[in-house]
Amino acid sequence: EVQLVESGGDTVEAGGSLKLSCLVSGYTTEHYCVGWFRQAPGQEREGVGSIYIHTGGSMSYDPDSYSVKGRFTVSRDYRLNTVYLQMTSLKPEDSAMYHCAAVERPCAAIQNNYQAFRHWGQGTRVTVSS
């Protein structure tokens, strides 16, 4: 059973940085996409970064369409089976519940479609104070 567990959410001041973690377990394949999404109350779920895990490594999917491009970065630690979301220059509007999700498809094929992701974590809350 594939499981994802997020951690690292906190309250930070505007302009600060925060790094979220997503521990991925249960996969028997080395070809899947892990995406980070956020959702604030009353707002639609929004993709903020993703990374494609494949044999031999990983590849970030970072299209210009992401509103957080240039401030948020997705990376992976192979040994820890963990995907990270590094967030910098945080703004109050970045406050939301952040989720990681996974699906056995290339990130580029899914783009920002959260409905295509099969497995979801419970989320971790980020609050940015002004």
Side-chain angles (χ1 to χ4, degrees), residues 20-38:
L20 306 182
S21 300
C22 174
L23 176 62
V24 183
S25 63
Y27 263 117
T28 58
T29 179
E30 276 292 326
H31 299 272
Y32 57 93
C33 175
V34 177
W36 280 98
F37 297 84
R38 67 183 183 185

Side-chain angles (χ1 to χ4, degrees), residues 57-129:
S58 58
M59 181 171 63
S60 297
Y61 179 69
D62 186 28
D64 292 340
S65 59
Y66 282 143
S67 67
V68 299
K69 186 177 176 66
R71 296 192 297 124
F72 290 13
T73 303
V74 181
S75 63
R76 180 210 186 196
D77 187 318
Y78 170 80
R79 295 167 300 170
L80 299 178
N81 290 329
T82 299
V83 173
Y84 301 101
L85 178 67
Q86 177 69 57
M87 305 182 291
T88 62
S89 301
L90 284 164
K91 308 173 183 179
E93 51 264 42
D94 293 320
S95 298
M97 183 69 81
Y98 283 72
H99 297 265
C100 60
V103 64
E104 302 78 39
R105 295 175 63 186
C107 297
I110 304 165
Q111 299 188 25
N112 204 24
N113 181 13
Y114 70 88
Q115 295 176 322
F117 284 81
R118 291 184 57 194
H119 311 284
W120 288 82
Q122 292 300 308
T124 186
R125 185 170 298 279
V126 174
T127 302
V128 184
S129 61

